[in-house]
Amino acid sequence: MPHIEGFYKYRGVLIVPPLVIALFWPISESETNWIVWPIGLSIVLLGVFGRIWAQQHLHLRIKVPVQLTTTGPYALVRNPIYISNTLICIGLTVLSHHLWLVPFTALWCAVLYSFVVREEEQHIKQYGSQAAAYFRDVSRWIPRYRGKPLMVTNDFLTASIWAEAHNFLFFFPFIIKEVALSFVSSCRCLAFG
């Protein structure tokens, strides 16, 4: 399936369009900083912390052999990284003040990641009956607690924080935009005040 492989291979780039729209769309911004920033920031941080928790168990960017991961958030849902990515994108969209764009961003992420996980699941099938049991027991998208204790942290916490620290860079364009808009607004007030 070449088109699905393209989605998987370019998933990092394909997530960008709604964020670019959120960053540069010139009109229809909400002017409620007092509520937009705390909510948007909370959603982004929830996504980043979700990625850190998942990374502790997945070990993808850490120098540890990769195996079928079924612990931590992977005991609740099969795709916690993509759910966390979606939260980051939604939170950044909220930070942009374009609240009308939030449903579009959520839909974009849902469609993109639905193609991505189909390709990924083909690779996971290499684990045979263990993968089949995991697919049967754990939902692809809807987290479900099954009564087993969840490991929240492990020996890979520090390495996982470092591996996921780049996610904090997504804030900077939105902070720069906010500062620039505040500066322009202040200049207008001074000029016409």
Side-chain angles (χ1 to χ4, degrees):
M1 291 187 225
H3 64 284
I4 291 179
E5 288 177 20
F7 279 97
Y8 178 77
K9 184 176 180 180
Y10 297 109
R11 65 194 182 277
V13 173
L14 289 171
I15 203 62
V16 171
L19 299 178
V20 169
I21 293 169
L23 194 58
F24 294 110
W25 193 266
I27 55 174
S28 299
E29 287 191 3
S30 167
E31 295 299 329
T32 53
N33 278 349
W34 62 274
I35 192 76
V36 165
W37 273 86
I39 289 174
L41 194 59
S42 297
I43 296 169
V44 171
L45 289 176
L46 182 63
V48 171
F49 291 130
R51 284 189 59 93
I52 290 169
W53 186 27
Q55 186 62 251
Q56 287 180 84
H57 298 270
L58 186 61
H59 308 145
L60 193 58
R61 290 190 177 101
I62 302 171
K63 304 292 186 211
V64 174
V66 177
Q67 58 186 10
L68 180 62
T69 306
T70 60
T71 59
Y74 291 92
L76 301 172
V77 66
R78 293 196 316 244
N79 296 292
I81 291 276
Y82 298 135
I83 292 170
S84 296
N85 288 352
T86 301
L87 289 170
I88 291 169
C89 290
I90 289 170
L92 290 172
T93 303
V94 171
L95 289 177
S96 78
H97 297 265
H98 294 301
L99 302 181
W100 59 271
L101 189 57
V102 169
F104 172 74
T105 301
L107 181 63
W108 182 272
C109 291
V111 170
L112 172 63
Y113 288 135
S114 69
F115 285 111
V116 168
V117 299
R118 282 186 173 78
E119 170 69 18
E120 211 167 65
E121 287 175 352
Q122 294 303 314
H123 297 288
I124 294 171
K125 286 181 180 178
Q126 72 178 335
Y127 294 103
S129 60
Q130 187 183 7
Y134 182 63
F135 287 167
R136 183 187 64 243
D137 295 341
V138 179
S139 169
R140 184 183 280 161
W141 296 115
I142 310 297
R144 186 180 59 185
Y145 181 65
R146 296 185 325 230
K148 296 179 182 177
L150 294 175
M151 190 183 330
V152 178
T153 63
N154 60 28
D155 294 339
F156 301 102
L157 176 60
T158 303
S160 298
I161 291 169
W162 282 111
E164 295 299 324
H166 69 279
N167 287 290
F168 290 105
L169 296 175
F170 291 117
F171 282 114
F172 288 110
F174 293 89
I175 291 170
I176 291 168
K177 176 186 177 184
E178 189 69 24
V179 169
L181 289 175
S182 294
F183 178 75
V184 169
S185 179
S186 296
C187 289
R188 283 185 191 154
C189 288
L190 291 173
F192 297 110

Coordinates of all heavy atoms in Angstrom, one line a residue, residues 43-80:
I43 N -3.5 21.9 27.6 CA -3.7 20.8 26.6 C -2.4 20.4 26.0 O -2.1 19.2 25.9 CB -4.7 21.2 25.5 CG1 -6.1 21.4 26.1 CG2 -4.8 20.2 24.4 CD1 -7.1 22.1 25.2
V44 N -1.5 21.4 25.6 CA -0.2 21.1 25.1 C 0.6 20.3 26.1 O 1.2 19.3 25.8 CB 0.5 22.3 24.6 CG1 2.0 22.0 24.3 CG2 -0.2 23.0 23.5
L45 N 0.6 20.7 27.3 CA 1.4 20.1 28.4 C 0.9 18.6 28.6 O 1.7 17.7 28.8 CB 1.5 20.9 29.7 CG 2.3 22.2 29.6 CD1 2.2 23.0 30.9 CD2 3.7 21.9 29.2
L46 N -0.4 18.4 28.6 CA -0.9 17.1 28.7 C -0.4 16.2 27.6 O 0.0 15.1 27.8 CB -2.5 17.2 28.7 CG -3.2 15.8 28.9 CD1 -2.9 15.2 30.3 CD2 -4.7 16.1 28.7
G47 N -0.4 16.7 26.4 CA 0.2 16.0 25.3 C 1.7 15.7 25.4 O 2.1 14.6 25.1
V48 N 2.4 16.7 25.8 CA 3.9 16.4 26.0 C 4.1 15.4 27.1 O 4.9 14.5 27.0 CB 4.6 17.8 26.3 CG1 6.1 17.5 26.7 CG2 4.6 18.7 25.1
F49 N 3.4 15.5 28.2 CA 3.6 14.6 29.3 C 3.1 13.2 28.9 O 3.7 12.2 29.3 CB 2.9 15.0 30.6 CG 3.5 16.2 31.2 CD1 2.8 17.3 31.6 CD2 4.9 16.2 31.4 CE1 3.4 18.4 32.2 CE2 5.5 17.3 32.0 CZ 4.7 18.4 32.4
G50 N 2.1 13.1 28.0 CA 1.7 11.8 27.5 C 2.8 11.2 26.6 O 3.0 10.0 26.7
R51 N 3.4 12.0 25.8 CA 4.6 11.5 25.0 C 5.7 11.0 25.9 O 6.3 10.0 25.6 CB 5.0 12.6 24.0 CG 4.1 12.8 22.9 CD 4.8 13.7 21.9 NE 6.0 13.2 21.4 CZ 6.2 12.5 20.3 NH1 5.1 12.1 19.6 NH2 7.4 12.0 19.9
I52 N 6.0 11.8 27.0 CA 7.1 11.4 27.9 C 6.7 10.0 28.5 O 7.6 9.1 28.6 CB 7.4 12.4 28.9 CG1 8.0 13.7 28.2 CG2 8.3 11.9 30.0 CD1 8.1 14.9 29.1
W53 N 5.5 9.9 29.0 CA 5.1 8.6 29.6 C 5.2 7.5 28.6 O 5.7 6.4 28.9 CB 3.6 8.8 30.1 CG 3.1 7.6 30.9 CD1 3.9 6.7 31.6 CD2 1.8 7.2 31.1 NE1 3.1 5.8 32.2 CE2 1.8 6.1 31.9 CE3 0.6 7.8 30.6 CZ2 0.6 5.5 32.3 CZ3 -0.6 7.1 31.0 CH2 -0.6 6.0 31.8
A54 N 4.7 7.7 27.4 CA 4.8 6.7 26.4 C 6.2 6.3 26.0 O 6.5 5.1 25.8 CB 4.0 7.1 25.1
Q55 N 7.0 7.3 25.9 CA 8.4 7.1 25.5 C 9.2 6.3 26.6 O 10.0 5.4 26.2 CB 9.2 8.5 25.4 CG 10.6 8.4 24.9 CD 10.7 7.8 23.5 OE1 11.1 6.7 23.3 NE2 10.2 8.5 22.5
Q56 N 8.8 6.4 27.8 CA 9.4 5.6 28.9 C 9.2 4.1 28.6 O 10.1 3.3 29.0 CB 8.8 5.9 30.2 CG 9.2 7.2 30.8 CD 8.5 7.4 32.2 OE1 9.1 6.9 33.2 NE2 7.4 8.0 32.2
H57 N 8.1 3.8 28.0 CA 7.8 2.4 27.8 C 8.1 1.9 26.3 O 8.5 0.8 26.1 CB 6.3 2.1 28.1 CG 6.0 2.4 29.5 ND1 6.1 1.4 30.5 CD2 5.7 3.6 30.1 CE1 5.8 2.0 31.6 NE2 5.5 3.3 31.5
L58 N 8.1 2.8 25.4 CA 8.3 2.5 24.0 C 9.8 2.4 23.7 O 10.2 1.6 22.9 CB 7.6 3.5 23.1 CG 7.7 3.3 21.6 CD1 6.9 2.0 21.2 CD2 7.0 4.5 20.9
H59 N 10.6 3.3 24.3 CA 12.0 3.4 24.1 C 12.5 3.7 22.7 O 13.6 3.3 22.3 CB 12.7 2.1 24.5 CG 12.3 1.6 25.9 ND1 12.2 0.3 26.2 CD2 12.0 2.3 27.0 CE1 11.9 0.2 27.5 NE2 11.8 1.4 28.0
L60 N 11.6 4.3 21.9 CA 12.0 4.5 20.5 C 13.2 5.4 20.3 O 14.0 5.2 19.4 CB 10.7 5.1 19.7 CG 10.8 5.1 18.2 CD1 11.0 3.7 17.7 CD2 9.5 5.7 17.7
R61 N 13.3 6.5 21.0 CA 14.4 7.4 20.8 C 15.5 7.2 21.9 O 16.4 8.0 22.1 CB 13.9 8.9 20.9 CG 13.1 9.3 19.7 CD 12.9 10.8 19.7 NE 12.1 11.2 18.6 CZ 10.8 11.4 18.5 NH1 10.1 11.3 19.6 NH2 10.3 11.8 17.4
I62 N 15.4 6.2 22.6 CA 16.3 5.8 23.7 C 17.1 4.6 23.2 O 16.6 3.7 22.6 CB 15.6 5.5 25.0 CG1 14.7 6.7 25.4 CG2 16.5 5.2 26.1 CD1 13.8 6.5 26.6
K63 N 18.3 4.5 23.6 CA 19.2 3.4 23.1 C 18.9 2.1 23.9 O 19.7 1.6 24.7 CB 20.7 3.8 23.3 CG 21.1 5.0 22.6 CD 21.0 4.8 21.1 CE 21.6 6.1 20.4 NZ 21.0 6.4 19.2
V64 N 17.7 1.6 23.7 CA 17.2 0.4 24.3 C 16.5 -0.5 23.2 O 15.8 0.1 22.4 CB 16.2 0.6 25.4 CG1 15.6 -0.6 26.0 CG2 16.8 1.5 26.5
P65 N 16.8 -1.8 23.2 CA 16.1 -2.6 22.1 C 14.6 -2.4 22.2 O 14.0 -2.4 23.2 CB 16.5 -4.0 22.5 CG 17.7 -3.9 23.3 CD 17.6 -2.6 24.0
V66 N 14.0 -2.3 21.0 CA 12.5 -2.1 20.9 C 11.9 -3.4 20.9 O 12.3 -4.4 20.2 CB 12.2 -1.3 19.6 CG1 10.7 -1.1 19.5 CG2 12.9 0.1 19.7
Q67 N 10.8 -3.5 21.6 CA 10.0 -4.7 21.6 C 8.5 -4.3 21.6 O 8.2 -3.2 21.7 CB 10.3 -5.6 22.9 CG 10.1 -4.8 24.2 CD 10.5 -5.6 25.4 OE1 11.2 -6.6 25.2 NE2 10.2 -5.1 26.5
L68 N 7.6 -5.3 21.6 CA 6.2 -5.0 21.6 C 5.9 -4.4 23.0 O 6.1 -5.0 24.0 CB 5.3 -6.2 21.4 CG 3.8 -6.0 21.4 CD1 3.4 -5.1 20.3 CD2 3.1 -7.3 21.3
T69 N 5.4 -3.2 23.0 CA 5.2 -2.4 24.2 C 3.7 -2.6 24.6 O 2.8 -2.2 23.9 CB 5.5 -1.0 24.0 OG1 6.9 -0.9 23.5 CG2 5.4 -0.2 25.3
T70 N 3.5 -3.1 25.9 CA 2.1 -3.3 26.4 C 2.0 -2.7 27.8 O 1.0 -3.0 28.5 CB 1.8 -4.8 26.4 OG1 2.7 -5.5 27.2 CG2 1.8 -5.3 25.0
T71 N 3.0 -1.9 28.2 CA 3.0 -1.4 29.6 C 2.7 0.1 29.6 O 2.7 0.8 28.5 CB 4.3 -1.7 30.3 OG1 5.4 -1.1 29.6 CG2 4.5 -3.2 30.5
G72 N 2.5 0.7 30.8 CA 2.3 2.1 30.9 C 1.0 2.5 30.1 O 0.0 1.9 30.2
P73 N 1.1 3.6 29.3 CA -0.1 4.0 28.5 C -0.5 3.0 27.5 O -1.7 3.0 27.1 CB 0.3 5.3 27.9 CG 1.8 5.3 27.8 CD 2.2 4.5 29.0
Y74 N 0.4 2.1 27.1 CA 0.1 1.1 26.1 C -0.7 0.0 26.6 O -1.3 -0.8 25.9 CB 1.4 0.5 25.5 CG 2.1 1.6 24.6 CD1 3.1 2.4 25.2 CD2 1.8 1.7 23.3 CE1 3.8 3.3 24.4 CE2 2.4 2.7 22.5 CZ 3.4 3.5 23.1 OH 4.0 4.5 22.3
A75 N -0.9 0.0 28.0 CA -1.9 -0.9 28.6 C -3.3 -0.4 28.5 O -4.2 -1.1 28.6 CB -1.5 -1.2 30.0
L76 N -3.4 0.9 28.2 CA -4.7 1.6 28.1 C -5.2 1.7 26.7 O -6.4 1.6 26.4 CB -4.7 3.0 28.7 CG -4.3 3.1 30.2 CD1 -4.1 4.5 30.6 CD2 -5.3 2.4 31.1
V77 N -4.3 2.0 25.8 CA -4.6 2.3 24.4 C -3.4 2.0 23.5 O -2.2 2.2 24.0 CB -5.1 3.8 24.3 CG1 -4.0 4.8 24.6 CG2 -5.7 4.1 22.9
R78 N -3.6 1.6 22.3 CA -2.4 1.2 21.4 C -1.6 2.4 20.9 O -0.5 2.2 20.5 CB -3.0 0.3 20.3 CG -3.5 -1.0 20.7 CD -3.7 -2.0 19.7 NE -4.2 -1.6 18.4 CZ -5.4 -2.1 17.9 NH1 -6.1 -2.9 18.7 NH2 -5.8 -1.7 16.8
N79 N -2.2 3.6 20.8 CA -1.5 4.7 20.2 C -1.4 5.9 21.0 O -1.8 7.0 20.6 CB -2.3 5.0 18.9 CG -2.2 3.8 17.9 OD1 -1.1 3.5 17.4 ND2 -3.3 3.2 17.7
P80 N -0.8 5.8 22.2 CA -0.8 7.0 23.1 C 0.1 8.1 22.5 O -0.2 9.3 22.8 CB -0.2 6.5 24.4 CG 0.6 5.2 24.0 CD -0.2 4.7 22.9

